[in-house]
Amino acid sequence: MFIRIRTKIVIVYLLFAIAIIGALGTMASMRIEHIFHENINNTLTQEIDFVSYYLTDISNQPTERIIEHLKNFAQQSHLRITLIDSLGRVLVDSDLDREKLAGLDNHLSRPEIANAKRSTIGRDIRKSKSTQQDYFYVAKKVELTQQVELFKSVRFIRLSVPLTYYNSLIREIRTSIVFTSLFVLFLVFILSLFISKRMTQPIVRLTEEIKAIAGGNYSKVVMVRSNDEIRLLIESINQLVEKINKEMNELQKSSMIRSQFLANVSHELRTPLFSIQAFIETLMSGALDDPDVNQKYLKKALFHVERLNNLLNDLIDISRIESKELKLTFHSFPIIEFLLKIVETSKFSANQKGITLILDLGSDIKLHADKDRLSQVMYNLVDNAIRYNPSGTVIRVYYEVRGSFVTIFVKDDGLGIAKEHLPRLFERFYRVDKERSRETGGTGLGLAIVKHIVEAHNGNIQVESEFGKGTQFYFTLRI
């Protein structure tokens, strides 16, 4: 069952207020009743002392006159005076005639008398059997110096007062407490409504903002004013939305790149396949028997097969790199030995094009890298310099050591690259001269693979070129 936070706050406030007000009201009521009873007890104790003194002082007067004085005093003081002997018999009662006293129960069993017998003073609150009213009783054990026979045997003076007035007054006070409590509860209810509204208003607005975000508006920023934990929540949500927005942009960018990549792959695969198909169909149409034609077409078909093989190998490499499946194996090896092998292996293709390939050696340091993958980087850079430059070009491979870093250069004085192409050289399938690149067997993925491998070594690769004056690729690695 759905319950709004605002309702929960109001309920909690009310339950808490009811508990507090109920406890305070009960304690106040009990305390007031206790104060009343203590005042009555103190008053009756003082009056007992007065009666005791009075009975001692008027010992020379007749019995009936003393009893009449006691009744008048009791009537004026709104008290009931009872004199009891040591056997528990009632000798005098201000509310009863002497003829009725003989029919009264023995009073030694009365709680206030029993307590007074043990500890001089006793008290009790109960309903009187003779008058059927609630009374507060206080009894005191006494020894009267009295000559009159009736009063000479008095051992307990008991005073009592009817609680009708006091009970009525306590009920009025309790009624006032109840109405005051209800009024306070009403104020708490109004206050809790106001507080809960103030507390939940940012949450309600936050919910509306989140619904808008959930609806797909990831660019929306949550704007709710608050100076408490809700502000921290809003900041966290905005950070999350910003992260989602970035991820969505990355996903869209990745989707666009993927679509473009698939289109490029399809195009790159389709061109050699169509060429191979055309060559085979030509050969099957009768050119196979013509020795001047069949070798030419078979060589072209082989060229495109090699091109397909290179493309598939590059696609596998770049897929493994981008999916983090390509694991590098680092170990140390001498840089001179490493570069000598690269240059010696590439000299044959350079010589075939009339290009001079030079290696400038410096101090022999050791590289800490994946040798196979770093070889792939160097072969790619040197092969590109050979493939895309004319005869007579000079290509220099050299390196510079600076502190704990080494920078390896592949520099040529060939055709150069126009300035507008430089920022996109490391993109997949980007070519400066598409037709010439396909003619030389380039896949368009070489430099993208080079960039990924260098970055996997925590390095960076750069290119500098001036059209008509040559190009320089260089990358820096930690030794």
Side-chain angles (χ1 to χ4, degrees):
M1 182 177 65
F2 176 78
I3 301 177
R4 297 173 61 187
I5 294 178
R6 184 176 178 184
T7 303
K8 290 181 181 179
I9 293 173
V10 172
I11 291 173
V12 169
Y13 268 91
L14 286 178
L15 290 176
F16 184 75
I18 289 171
I20 296 297
I21 293 172
L24 290 176
T26 302
M27 291 173 61
S29 176
M30 293 173 63
R31 181 63 181 166
I32 290 170
E33 186 175 11
H34 175 76
I35 291 172
F36 274 138
H37 290 169
E38 286 299 314
N39 286 336
I40 294 170
N41 179 73
N42 294 335
T43 301
L44 293 182
T45 301
Q46 292 175 2
E47 296 295 347
I48 286 175
D49 292 338
F50 176 78
V51 171
S52 175
Y53 174 79
Y54 173 75
L55 291 176
T56 301
D57 189 52
I58 58 171
S59 59
N60 59 346
Q61 294 189 20
T63 300
E64 293 300 327
R65 186 171 179 82
I66 293 173
I67 293 174
E68 183 179 354
H69 284 169
L70 287 175
K71 288 186 176 182
N72 288 336
F73 174 73
Q75 185 178 6
Q76 292 173 3
S77 302
H78 304 287
L79 301 173
R80 182 181 180 183
I81 302 174
T82 306
L83 306 180
I84 303 166
D85 65 9
S86 60
L87 299 177
R89 293 175 299 186
V90 177
L91 302 177
V92 177
D93 192 306
S94 62
D95 284 5
L96 298 175
D97 294 332
R98 293 187 66 186
E99 294 79 10
K100 297 180 179 181
L101 298 180
L104 296 178
D105 296 337
N106 188 288
H107 276 47
L108 283 181
S109 61
R110 299 290 194 270
E112 68 276 8
I113 302 301
N115 290 333
K117 188 177 181 180
R118 289 192 300 269
S119 56
T120 306
I121 295 290
R123 56 182 281 185
D124 190 35
I125 299 173
R126 67 178 183 276
K127 183 175 287 188
S128 172
K129 292 182 178 180
S130 57
T131 63
Q132 296 300 309
Q133 294 185 45
D134 288 331
Y135 275 82
F136 192 104
Y137 296 92
V138 176
K140 186 176 183 180
K141 187 178 180 180
V142 296
E143 290 285 344
L144 297 179
T145 57
Q146 176 62 260
Q147 300 301 319
V148 179
E149 188 64 28
L150 177 65
F151 300 105
K152 189 176 181 179
S153 59
V154 172
R155 291 295 176 268
F156 301 98
I157 299 175
R158 187 184 73 179
L159 267 64
S160 60
V161 61
L163 293 177
T164 306
Y165 169 73
Y166 295 102
N167 288 343
S168 175
L169 189 59
I170 290 173
R171 282 194 296 272
E172 288 182 7
I173 292 173
R174 285 175 175 168
T175 301
S176 298
I177 290 174
V178 169
F179 280 108
T180 303
S181 299
L182 291 175
F183 178 71
V184 172
L185 279 177
F186 175 74
L187 292 180
V188 170
F189 175 71
I190 298 299
L191 182 63
S192 65
L193 284 177
F194 174 76
I195 292 174
S196 64
K197 183 178 180 181
R198 289 288 301 272
M199 290 177 65
T200 59
Q201 191 174 23
I203 298 176
V204 173
R205 289 186 58 195
L206 180 60
T207 303
E208 293 173 354
E209 299 277 2
I210 292 175
K211 284 181 179 179
I213 294 170
N217 187 5
Y218 298 113
S219 61
K220 188 173 184 62
V221 177
V222 180
M223 299 293 291
V224 179
R225 293 182 180 178
S226 183
N227 293 318
D228 49 22
E229 287 83 355
I230 295 177
R231 179 176 61 83
L232 299 178
L233 175 61
I234 292 169
E235 290 176 355
S236 299
I237 290 173
N238 282 333
Q239 290 174 2
L240 179 60
V241 170
E242 184 179 356
K243 184 177 179 182
I244 292 173
N245 195 34
K246 288 181 180 178
E247 289 180 354
M248 289 296 294
N249 290 335
E250 287 296 323
L251 284 173
Q252 291 175 358
K253 184 178 179 181
S254 298
S255 178
M256 184 175 65
I257 292 173
R258 190 181 299 110
S259 299
Q260 186 178 3
F261 177 72
L262 290 174
N264 287 332
V265 169
S266 299
H267 180 72
E268 293 297 326
L269 290 172
R270 189 181 297 114
T271 302
L273 284 173
F274 283 167
S275 297
I276 294 170
Q277 181 182 1
F279 296 142
I280 293 173
E281 288 176 351
T282 302
L283 291 170
M284 291 177 65
S285 300
L288 186 60
D289 298 326
D290 186 345
D292 294 331
V293 177
N294 56 17
Q295 287 297 316
K296 178 182 177 182
Y297 277 28
L298 286 174
K299 287 180 181 178
K300 287 185 177 181
L302 179 61
F303 170 80
H304 287 291
V305 168
E306 291 175 350
R307 182 181 167 193
L308 276 176
N309 185 57
N310 292 335
L311 177 61
L312 290 174
N313 287 334
D314 285 349
L315 285 172
I316 291 170
D317 281 345
I318 203 161
S319 175
R320 291 176 62 195
I321 290 170
E322 293 187 346
S323 63
K324 309 299 182 183
E325 292 180 8
L326 181 66
K327 304 300 180 183
L328 300 181
T329 303
F330 287 81
H331 61 276
S332 296
F333 52 91
I335 190 171
I336 291 178
E337 179 186 332
F338 169 71
L339 293 179
L340 276 172
K341 183 178 179 181
I342 301 295
V343 172
E344 289 300 322
T345 304
S346 303
K347 269 189 176 181
F348 178 75
S349 58
N351 291 335
Q352 278 191 323
K353 283 196 66 176
I355 292 176
T356 303
L357 182 57
I358 301 172
L359 173 61
D360 291 339
L361 297 176
S363 58
D364 195 7
I365 61 169
K366 286 191 174 182
L367 293 175
H368 187 70
D370 186 317
K371 189 175 182 180
D372 292 335
R373 291 299 167 184
L374 205 58
S375 296
Q376 188 176 358
V377 170
M378 290 303 300
Y379 281 126
N380 236 307
L381 295 178
V382 173
D383 185 61
N384 279 353
I386 296 170
R387 183 180 300 174
Y388 298 116
N389 281 306
S391 176
T393 301
V394 176
I395 301 172
R396 291 180 62 241
V397 177
Y398 64 100
Y399 60 93
E400 293 179 356
V401 179
R402 295 178 183 175
S404 57
F405 294 91
V406 59
T407 303
I408 300 175
F409 298 83
V410 177
K411 183 178 181 181
D412 66 70
D413 58 1
L415 297 175
I417 303 169
K419 193 174 182 179
E420 64 269 17
H421 295 295
L422 295 179
R424 302 189 61 189
L425 276 184
F426 296 100
E427 292 182 13
R428 293 174 297 185
F429 294 113
Y430 185 79
R431 293 183 177 90
V432 176
D433 188 341
K434 295 182 180 180
E435 292 303 321
R436 187 160 176 264
S437 178
R438 291 194 183 98
E439 288 174 4
T440 57
T443 64
L445 295 173
L447 288 179
I449 294 173
V450 164
K451 182 175 184 290
H452 281 299
I453 293 175
V454 171
E455 289 178 349
H457 282 78
N458 295 318
N460 62 87
I461 187 165
Q462 307 271 342
V463 59
E464 295 175 358
S465 185
E466 187 174 350
F467 189 70
K469 292 187 177 181
T471 303
Q472 176 177 262
F473 285 90
Y474 58 95
F475 59 93
T476 302
L477 300 176
R478 182 179 289 274
I479 299 174

